[in-house]
Amino acid sequence: MEREAGAWQEAVARKFSLWLNHAINQTRIKKLQTNLETGEDEFNEWKKLVEQKLKLLKEDLEVSL
């Protein structure tokens, strides 16, 4: 049950990380005129950070209820 309850956090973190990598890559291409792209390492780091923040948010919400 706990694993299922945390599934939304992983989904949000994954989608946000994909979006962030894409946004950074597009900005680099347009503004800096470079093809240097973010990759899997950056994606994993964004995902880890977002998951941590979502976990803290969930704990805060549980305490306030």
Side-chain angles (χ1 to χ4, degrees):
M1 183 72 169
E2 180 63 33
R3 184 175 179 176
E4 291 174 5
W8 70 270
Q9 295 163 326
E10 184 177 343
V12 168
R14 183 179 189 290
K15 288 181 182 183
F16 176 79
S17 300
L18 288 170
W19 171 83
L20 185 58
N21 268 4
H22 178 74
I24 290 170
N25 290 336
Q26 291 303 307
T27 300
R28 282 185 179 166
I29 290 169
K30 290 178 184 175
K31 303 277 183 183
L32 303 175
Q33 298 176 345
T34 179
N35 289 332
L36 181 62
E37 294 187 358
T38 57
E40 190 173 338
D41 290 338
E42 291 84 2
F43 168 82
N44 288 332
E45 187 63 24
W46 312 140
K47 186 172 178 276
K48 182 177 87 176
L49 292 171
V50 172
E51 284 175 338
Q52 289 171 351
K53 295 298 182 185
L54 289 173
K55 181 180 178 184
L56 291 172
L57 174 63
K58 180 182 175 220
E59 290 170 359
D60 286 346
L61 290 172
E62 288 174 348
V63 169
S64 66
L65 294 176

